[in-house]
Amino acid sequence: MEESACRAVANETGGDGVHGRSGRGQAPRVTRPASVFRLGSCPLWPSPGKSMSALEIEAAPRARLPRQVPFIIGNEGCERFSFYGMRNILTPFLVTSLLLYLPEAARAGAAKDVFHAFVIGVYFFPLLGGWLADRFLGKYRTVLWLSLVYCVGHLYLALFEHSVAGFYTGLGLIALGAGGIKPCVAAFVGDQFDESNRQLAKVVFDAFYWIINVGSFLASLLMPFFLREYGAKVAFGLPGVLMFIATIVFWMGRKHYVMLPPTRHDPHGFAQVVKSALLAHAPGQGRPGLIVAAASVALALASLALMPTLGIVATLCVALVLLLAGMVIGTRLQLERVRGMHPAEAIDGVAVVLRVLVVFALVTPFWSLFDQKASTWVLQANAMQAPSWLHPAQMQAVNPALVLLLIPFNNLVLYPLLRRLGIEPTALRRMTAGIVFSAIAWVVVGALQLALDGGSPVHIAWQILPYVFLTMGEVLVSATGLEFAYSQAPPSMKGTLMSFWTLSVTVGNLWVLLANAGVRNDAVLAGIAHTGMGATAFQMFFFAAFAGIAALAFGLYARRYPVVDYYRST
């Protein structure tokens, strides 16, 4: 996720000089020699124009790296360690400590519910953070103030390790802080560059990406050890200390930052065009789009009745999904009516966003599989044979380690090989393959679960295999999705797509909560019993099938998706 955001912002800050229109046979206009930005060893979509000239490459090192950048990179490294440190020990802590008041059989399911509700919050609050930064506070103040909220959340986790209310309050504050700063930090890096040093943005986004994965890797290895050896107070307190250091480091660079003012209200922004479309009249015609939108509001309100069954987080997410679906369909039905009310570019941009939202919707099953590596997979690892020095949660370190290996492998070996075989690895093809890889990963963990349920000893090293498939899926989906979305939308809509991308993660985790609620139903459990599988194994194969169907639907939609290219011009 974070890597995708870095890629998108790198492109926005001057990664190339091509401004394209339709990608179907119409050559893009080259306004200046365009560079190819790389993140890690991964190119940030190669420019369809000229490559960077030798003169530019030679001159690039003479450009001065903004002196404020190390403060932002240091902040990101500490913050990512902090976030992944607490996130990756959350499930084992809940099962072995905070939820001990529940019957033993109910703890695993309850821990999964808490974990995925937390992730839902983390990827919902970017909407709030982006709105505050754009309309009121600007990026710097939004990051600073929400980082302080973030620190208080960590303090709550350390102080209230035995209090359900106190601990959940801490999780809520961290979700608000971590989610709120998410859309701002990478974009703030981009703000520090101008035309004179844009070539050096590549170096900074390289560092940004690597520090994210290094922080995740170290946190995944170390924090489960601290949890086992020193207890929850230390294990949750240490990430809090790192987050406080991250905030101090960020604050120390305040006199050097380029701080762009908030953009305030845009009369031709996404929300305004949608509002105009839903309310627009057409002579002799009704307003079917407004009817659909009104029906979605009614359904969203009616869904609140599910709260006693699903819980507040899942219920509100269901209501949000119903509301968004109605607004999207309603807007598509009446969008052409607002020609003349808004610039053609704004209307066409909204049309593109609505098409990309279908792509995002089909990606949500991937996120339901990916984020369970920190919940369902940790619980499975806990039942496996493992050396005494290894905590089951430490297996999550395999993911960032593989990311650092697979991205250069894909770009230096796999993609060139596919091209030599006559297969172009387009963004949509890569994303389709990524969803398929995630489905295969869950077939493998399902097979491991069947062996465990049958009483066979299974060594924890077997989990490396599904991690390989799932991480390949992550690289192909997460590292491509936002990059693709940014290439599709005009500049005025790119921030909107960032927000919807994070919402796709929220919806993905909603599917997990709904599946967990389903296996608590007696009728569903009876049906599962007839298959001869346990509930956990059945869920694993269910999610594999869920992703497989999503991959098929995604591939079919991708075949007829009208690809366009919008690049930042000079």
Side-chain angles (χ1 to χ4, degrees):
M1 280 298 297
E2 287 80 3
E3 181 212 352
S4 300
C6 293
R7 289 164 170 251
V9 175
N11 191 59
E12 273 296 276
T13 57
D16 57 55
V18 182
H19 185 303
R21 295 175 187 163
S22 172
R24 296 179 176 242
Q26 186 175 9
R29 175 173 60 85
V30 181
T31 56
R32 56 176 163 79
S35 63
V36 175
F37 265 136
R38 289 179 178 269
L39 202 60
S41 8
C42 208
L44 183 61
W45 63 72
S47 167
K50 300 177 183 178
S51 59
M52 196 172 181
S53 69
L55 183 60
E56 283 185 305
I57 294 173
E58 185 178 347
R62 300 194 189 104
R64 183 176 181 179
L65 187 73
R67 62 189 302 182
Q68 63 270 33
V69 165
F71 295 101
I72 306 175
I73 298 299
N75 163 267
E76 183 70 7
C78 294
E79 188 273 329
R80 287 293 86 187
F81 184 102
S82 167
F83 178 76
Y84 286 112
M86 61 77 49
R87 177 184 183 270
N88 290 354
I89 63 173
L90 182 56
T91 298
F93 167 75
L94 292 170
V95 172
T96 61
S97 184
L98 192 67
L99 300 180
L100 288 179
Y101 67 91
L102 293 174
E104 185 175 359
R107 291 172 198 163
K112 288 171 63 176
D113 284 349
V114 172
F115 176 86
H116 292 285
F118 168 70
V119 175
I120 282 173
V122 170
Y123 288 96
F124 174 79
F125 283 119
L127 293 175
L128 175 62
W131 179 70
L132 287 174
D134 289 344
R135 297 291 298 275
F136 300 104
L137 301 178
K139 298 182 189 72
Y140 169 76
R141 287 192 292 172
T142 300
V143 172
L144 182 64
W145 292 114
L146 288 181
S147 292
L148 294 175
V149 172
Y150 200 160
C151 292
V152 174
H154 276 293
L155 180 63
Y156 266 68
L157 297 192
L159 294 178
F160 297 102
E161 59 176 305
H162 301 300
S163 167
V164 172
F167 194 86
Y168 288 176
T169 299
L171 288 180
L173 293 173
I174 291 175
L176 173 60
I181 69 175
K182 189 174 290 293
C184 302
V185 177
F188 191 60
V189 175
D191 290 348
Q192 309 311 305
F193 291 87
D194 56 29
E195 189 66 22
S196 67
N197 59 6
R198 65 179 179 84
Q199 298 94 340
L200 293 179
K202 167 199 172 299
V203 178
V204 174
F205 282 102
D206 279 352
F208 207 76
Y209 162 62
W210 283 93
I211 202 72
I212 286 168
N213 283 280
V214 169
S216 173
F217 175 76
L218 293 176
S220 299
L221 277 183
L222 295 177
M223 299 322 299
F225 169 79
F226 279 98
L227 178 64
R228 181 175 60 189
E229 298 298 326
Y230 300 104
K233 191 175 294 295
V234 172
F236 286 114
L238 184 58
V241 171
L242 265 293
M243 187 59 222
F244 184 70
I245 293 173
T247 306
I248 294 297
V249 170
F250 185 73
W251 173 80
M252 288 172 62
R254 67 195 182 281
K255 294 182 180 179
H256 308 294
Y257 295 137
V258 174
M259 300 185 192
L260 301 183
T263 55
R264 306 298 180 185
H265 177 69
D266 181 1
H268 304 297
F270 179 82
Q272 292 302 311
V273 175
V274 168
K275 178 182 176 182
S276 297
L278 291 176
L279 298 178
H281 289 275
Q285 300 180 33
R287 288 195 282 183
L290 184 60
I291 293 173
V292 171
S296 72
V297 173
L299 288 173
L301 292 174
S303 70
L304 298 179
L306 298 172
M307 197 169 295
T309 303
L310 299 181
I312 184 170
V313 173
T315 301
L316 291 176
C317 282
V318 168
L320 177 63
V321 169
L322 291 171
L323 188 63
L324 285 176
M327 295 297 175
V328 168
I329 295 171
T331 302
R332 293 188 69 169
L333 289 173
Q334 299 185 181
L335 183 60
E336 290 302 314
R337 296 184 180 185
V338 296
R339 297 274 176 194
M341 298 173 59
H342 296 280
E345 182 185 63
I347 298 170
D348 293 340
V350 170
V352 169
V353 170
L354 297 181
R355 288 199 301 270
V356 176
L357 286 182
V358 179
V359 174
F360 287 1
L362 293 173
V363 168
T364 59
F366 166 78
W367 295 119
S368 67
L369 275 63
F370 178 76
D371 282 326
Q372 287 190 77
K373 75 183 191 308
S375 59
T376 304
W377 287 23
V378 170
L379 295 172
Q380 183 189 71
N382 198 49
M384 292 177 162
Q385 292 183 332
S388 58
W389 52 265
L390 181 68
H391 190 288
Q394 288 176 302
M395 288 298 294
Q396 294 172 84
V398 173
N399 173 247
L402 285 172
V403 168
L404 297 174
L405 295 174
L406 286 176
I407 285 184
F409 170 79
N410 286 352
N411 285 276
L412 299 176
V413 179
L414 179 59
Y415 297 158
L417 176 61
L418 289 174
R419 292 188 179 101
R420 285 196 295 270
L421 295 174
I423 302 172
E424 179 59 34
T426 64
L428 291 176
R429 286 176 177 173
R430 278 179 277 158
M431 293 174 73
T432 303
I435 302 173
V436 172
F437 275 114
S438 69
I440 294 172
W442 277 74
V443 171
V444 176
V445 294
L448 296 177
Q449 190 64 40
L450 287 177
L452 289 169
D453 292 345
S456 300
V458 179
H459 196 275
I460 199 169
W462 279 104
Q463 266 203 344
I464 295 175
L465 181 59
Y467 266 108
V468 171
F469 285 112
L470 190 68
T471 306
M472 177 61 87
E474 176 194 4
V475 168
L476 294 174
V477 174
S478 179
T480 306
L482 195 58
E483 173 185 322
F484 165 76
Y486 263 62
S487 74
Q488 299 304 289
S492 61
M493 300 293 171
K494 293 186 188 296
T496 300
L497 279 175
M498 169 77 84
S499 299
F500 282 123
W501 177 255
T502 62
L503 273 183
S504 73
V505 185
T506 291
V507 177
N509 283 269
L510 170 63
W511 303 144
V512 181
L513 294 184
L514 294 179
N516 289 346
V519 297
R520 287 194 288 266
N521 181 279
D522 291 337
V524 173
L525 288 174
I528 293 174
H530 283 100
T531 67
M533 289 187 283
T536 300
F538 180 87
Q539 276 189 293
M540 289 174 171
F541 289 114
F542 165 80
F543 278 112
F546 187 35
I549 294 171
L552 177 61
F554 191 100
L556 292 174
Y557 183 74
R559 288 173 64 89
R560 56 188 181 87
Y561 182 90
V563 177
V564 295
D565 291 311
Y566 286 96
Y567 289 89
R568 181 180 183 270
S569 60
T570 51

